[in-house]
Amino acid sequence: MKITLLPGDGIGVEIVDAAVEVLDAAAKKYNFTVEYDKKLIGGAAIDAFGTPLPEETLASAKASDAVLLGAVGGPKWDNVDPSIRPEKGLLNIRKGLGLYCNLRPMKVSKYTAHLSPLKTERAEGADLLIVRELTGGIYFGTHNEAHLNADGVEEASDIEMYTRPEVERIARFAFEAARKRGGKVTSVDKANVLGSSRMWRKIVTEMRDKEYTDVELNHFYVDNCAMQLVLNPKQFDVVLTNNIFGDILSDEASTIAGSIGLLPSASLGDGAGMYEPIHGSAPDIAGQGIANPLATILSVAMMLRYSLNQDVAADAVERAVDEVLEAGYRTPDLWAEGLKKVSTAEMGKLVAEAVK
Ligand code: IPM
Ligand code: MG
């Protein structure tokens, strides 16, 4: 298996190192070989090449079985031209690899339910999967940066646009995922205001009625969904939504789990998949060895399952994470009196040991 490693910026470097340790342990135990190709993306790539996604990075990713990404961005690059911001590297690799489907599972672990901003009993047991469209919508519609219009007034715009095939393929993913989970899809839109949402809702409903009559489907407006997530997160199974609503709702959902440092993601399409924690590059704590690598390690589990065809190894990595938490080890973000505080690297080693 060929894996492209894209540590990126900030804590990305430390957490990817820790996750590679776990992947190596899984490969050894379950008898497959992994070969790594480490490349630059984001701010690190801007510094070295003047672009957040160098050609050699995209080429390596395209030639791989899977990509493991840390995080991109940081204050150092806040004032670069918008066309080469670090985040552009991420958006362009998603587009370049055709990764239209972003899976963001949120499961409240019993080890962190008490850290949730929601009452523990409201959060504990929540287990949902956000299926976010990732290569369309307003993220990739025409961007008109701020300029003076004919009346001399400054204006700017971004276009939200979807085509039927784009909606169908992401909806299919959600329906199929629901069949393997709780059998329920909640489609999120803003059909009371937006034409793109009305088309989205129509297509999703048609598919349910034609092909997925065994799946329960309901529709929420995005504002209501944001509210329902904190009122009763346990009502959700699969949440299907567009690029921008998925961006916003997945941050909201992640915090319900008690720590953003625990949530993995997979971005899938027709070729190699890309796996990354849902948190950012946390420049404020970078290089101190205190970042939580578990979201990246759990992203490796998703990689094993969706790209490397190693279901047993994927289960083993998830079990190993639970064992280490059960044994009381915590990175500082999750630490409390009575628990054992460990560094990023130590956490990686502990999980790797537990896999072995
Ligand atoms: C995410 C991030 C990205 C996004 C940013 C860094 C471009 O917030 O993966 O959710 O908006 O998609
Ligand atoms: Mg986001």
Side-chain angles (χ1 to χ4, degrees):
M1 305 289 178
K2 189 169 169 269
I3 313 290
T4 297
L5 297 178
L6 305 178
D9 307 317
I11 61 169
V13 179
E14 306 149 61
I15 56 181
V16 165
D17 279 348
V20 163
E21 187 134 353
V22 175
L23 182 52
D24 281 337
K28 200 156 180 197
K29 165 113 190 212
Y30 296 97
N31 289 314
F32 57 93
T33 50
V34 273
E35 213 179 277
Y36 300 107
D37 190 22
K38 200 182 264 190
K39 292 284 184 239
L40 297 176
I41 193 167
I46 296 174
D47 289 348
F49 294 96
T51 164
L53 182 63
E55 258 166 51
E56 59 167 61
T57 298
L58 184 59
S60 166
K62 280 186 173 161
S64 291
D65 294 293
V67 180
L68 182 65
L69 183 122
V72 298
K76 182 173 174 199
W77 305 282
D78 269 352
N79 296 315
V80 303
D81 187 86
S83 65
I84 61 153
R85 280 185 67 94
E87 291 80 1
K88 258 293 195 224
L90 185 56
L91 298 180
N92 289 346
I93 197 169
R94 287 173 178 167
K95 195 72 170 178
L97 294 176
L99 304 173
Y100 61 86
C101 176
N102 184 217
L103 302 178
R104 297 189 166 183
M106 191 285 287
K107 202 170 174 171
V108 181
S109 148
K110 64 177 179 202
Y111 305 105
T112 55
H114 65 285
L115 298 174
S116 175
L118 298 188
K119 292 194 179 80
T120 306
E121 64 274 16
R122 203 170 272 195
E124 199 163 0
D127 178 359
L128 58 86
L129 174 69
I130 295 181
V131 177
R132 169 189 177 195
E133 200 291 325
L134 202 60
T135 52
I138 200 165
Y139 273 61
F140 293 93
T142 306
H143 301 294
N144 256 311
E145 297 292 334
H147 62 276
L148 294 183
N149 71 13
D151 301 325
V153 179
E154 193 170 18
E155 64 176 29
S157 65
D158 307 272
I159 308 276
E160 168 83 358
M161 217 269 291
Y162 272 106
T163 62
R164 172 176 279 270
E166 284 176 319
V167 178
E168 284 178 352
R169 66 184 181 179
I170 192 69
R172 191 167 303 288
F173 238 109
F175 283 123
E176 295 290 338
R179 276 186 174 160
K180 295 190 200 116
R181 294 175 42 105
K184 180 176 174 190
V185 170
T186 300
S187 176
V188 179
D189 61 39
K190 188 71 185 170
N192 49 347
V193 178
L194 304 176
S196 54
S197 279
R198 284 187 281 274
M199 182 186 80
W200 177 285
R201 187 177 284 220
K202 180 181 74 178
I203 293 171
V204 172
T205 306
E206 276 170 23
M207 288 174 72
R208 151 74 179 56
D209 293 347
K210 271 198 208 125
E211 297 175 61
Y212 294 99
T213 48
D214 54 316
V215 178
E216 187 191 334
L217 172 68
N218 65 348
H219 303 273
F220 278 165
Y221 297 136
V222 63
D223 49 349
N224 181 35
C225 184
M227 181 178 74
Q228 294 296 332
L229 267 172
V230 291
L231 275 179
N232 178 14
K234 284 181 238 182
Q235 72 184 286
F236 295 101
D237 178 22
V238 173
V239 177
L240 162 65
T241 193
N242 71 8
N243 205 342
I244 188 140
F245 298 158
D247 178 46
I248 297 165
L249 293 175
S250 62
D251 263 30
E252 186 190 1
S254 76
T255 191
I256 296 170
S259 167
I260 195 168
L262 285 175
L263 296 191
S265 80
S267 301
L268 308 174
D270 303 320
M274 187 163 83
Y275 300 83
E276 55 177 307
I278 80 152
H279 60 70
S281 59
D284 51 321
I285 61 163
Q288 301 173 33
I290 58 174
N292 186 346
L294 291 179
T296 317
I297 290 170
L298 291 168
S299 299
V300 162
M302 293 187 87
M303 173 192 287
L304 288 164
R305 191 167 288 123
Y306 294 109
S307 284
L308 306 187
N309 234 334
Q310 298 284 344
D311 284 4
V312 180
D315 291 344
V317 169
E318 286 168 355
R319 215 172 32 239
V321 167
D322 273 348
E323 269 173 37
V324 169
L325 290 172
E326 179 75 45
Y329 296 102
R330 300 285 190 278
T331 41
D333 55 317
L334 300 179
W335 180 83
E337 211 57 59
L339 296 165
K340 294 167 240 176
K341 198 186 281 184
V342 294
S343 69
T344 310
E346 284 164 344
M347 186 52 104
K349 287 202 169 56
L350 284 162
V351 178
E353 275 306 314
V355 168
K356 286 180 200 155

